[in-house]
Amino acid sequence: MVQQITERCEVKVIRRKEEEKRLQTAQVSDLCRRRLLNYADSFCELAKSYDQELSQEYQDRGTLFMERRLWENRQIIRGHLSEMAKIMTEAACEVLSFQPMENKKKKILVQAMAEEGIRVENPCYLPRANGQQAMALTMSTTKGEKISAEEAADMISVLLDRRLQLAVSSPYIIESSPQSFILEEEAEFLVLTGFSRAIKENETISGDNYSVIEAEKGRVTVMLSDGTGSGEAAGRDSERVLDLMEKMLEAGFGMDTAINMVNTALFAVGEDRNHPTLDICEIDLYQGNCQLRKIGGAVTFLKKSDEVEQFSIGSLPLGIFQKVEVQPVHKMLQDGDFLIMVSDGVVDAFERGEQEDTMLRAVTGLQGSNPGEMAERLLRIALCASGGKVRDDMTVGVIGIWEA
């Protein structure tokens, strides 16, 4: 018995060593890593130079106020420099793990794609943190024509008997020059969004703006921002917030870090009227869950069949305080669920004092499965409640989730 256990343990050790051999790694060159780490050290030293205590020795109230304002701005700069140093260090030390494709599968894939006029090189697997396995490869056309990368992904899915889709960061067209492509495993869920808007009377531009970001690894982020007031200035403010958030997220900042960096940028400017709201819904299409973050935004609803849950977290808009404390709400989603995001103008259209309750009944009565039509229907209900008057910009966003 002892001998059998020993033999099984030896087999497991051999298999693990073979797996370690198959799993290879890649990272930035030593030269690039050293330069990134040197940059990170420089940013850290700069951050330390702003780390000073606020002096309380001034007797004059106006001088004390000015000194405090300067100190707060220095703390903002210090925080941003420290965050940049952190990201550079992570990039320098990042290790990409990949596993070369089995020779038999590789041969079948290369030959079959060659018959379709596509040259495939260096196919390998990329393990993901969520337990999924992506695929990376280089593709080019052999006859000079251009071929849809999505069609190539469908062909590869059939050849490998796996549900694969083109990653959002990959090129959409295969051309004669070699390009790198990543194919992700298809997620368990899919999302469709629909928006409907009404602009405040006597205005030509809405102060509300929204954004839908599809990221790799099966994540979809929907954001809605309501600028202070209405018109061109409010629209410019909310658009800037969303633009900054998109750039921060694409650069690799975490969601909460991105929110705080945008908030401190507005806080540093110190404009009394520039305090946009920000609603964020981040959905994981593999796990079927979402995180809701609300910074001064109106109520959000989660509709499950005839049951509706509402979220109205008490939080002030952006730019009022130096730091924003956001407590995300985590919810599991199911096939056929809908998330409804609205701006203040929609809520204010209903009778004062019973606005959220009236909206809850309206959302509960919503029927259909088309997010765009549902958003349009809810906006019409709000317009009827206000007697056809658009006293503030109105935006309704509906997010539907289904099993793939």
Side-chain angles (χ1 to χ4, degrees), residues 55-65:
S55 175
Q56 301 289 343
E57 63 185 25
Y58 299 98
Q59 298 298 321
D60 180 66
R61 186 174 180 181
T63 305
L64 181 61
F65 176 81

Side-chain angles (χ1 to χ4, degrees), residues 21 53 77 80 151 228 308 339 351 353 356 370 381 390 397:
K21 287 180 181 178
E53 295 293 330
I77 296 171
H80 288 186
E151 291 180 8
T228 305
V308 178
L339 284 154
E351 185 178 351
E356 291 190 4
N370 185 310
I381 292 172
V390 186

Side-chain angles (χ1 to χ4, degrees), residues 385-401:
S386 66
K389 301 287 186 181
V390 186
R391 299 183 180 89
D392 191 8
D393 299 312
M394 297 182 180
T395 301
V396 179
V398 178
I399 309 162
I401 184 165

Side-chain angles (χ1 to χ4, degrees), residues 51-89:
D51 191 12
Q52 301 173 1
E53 295 293 330
L54 175 63
S55 175
Q56 301 289 343
E57 63 185 25
Y58 299 98
Q59 298 298 321
D60 180 66
R61 186 174 180 181
T63 305
L64 181 61
F65 176 81
M66 184 180 299
E67 284 297 318
R68 180 171 184 83
R69 191 67 179 176
L70 288 171
W71 177 83
E72 289 173 344
N73 288 340
R74 286 196 294 269
Q75 300 314 298
I76 291 171
I77 296 171
R78 181 179 66 84
H80 288 186
L81 290 171
S82 298
E83 191 61 35
M84 289 301 300
K86 177 185 173 184
I87 288 178
M88 287 180 176
T89 302

Side-chain angles (χ1 to χ4, degrees), residues 88-108:
M88 287 180 176
T89 302
E90 290 175 352
C93 300
E94 186 175 6
V95 176
L96 174 66
S97 299
F98 65 95
Q99 181 180 329
M101 182 177 287
E102 305 90 330
N103 287 331
K104 185 177 179 180
K105 285 187 177 180
K106 178 180 177 180
K107 186 177 180 180
I108 293 172

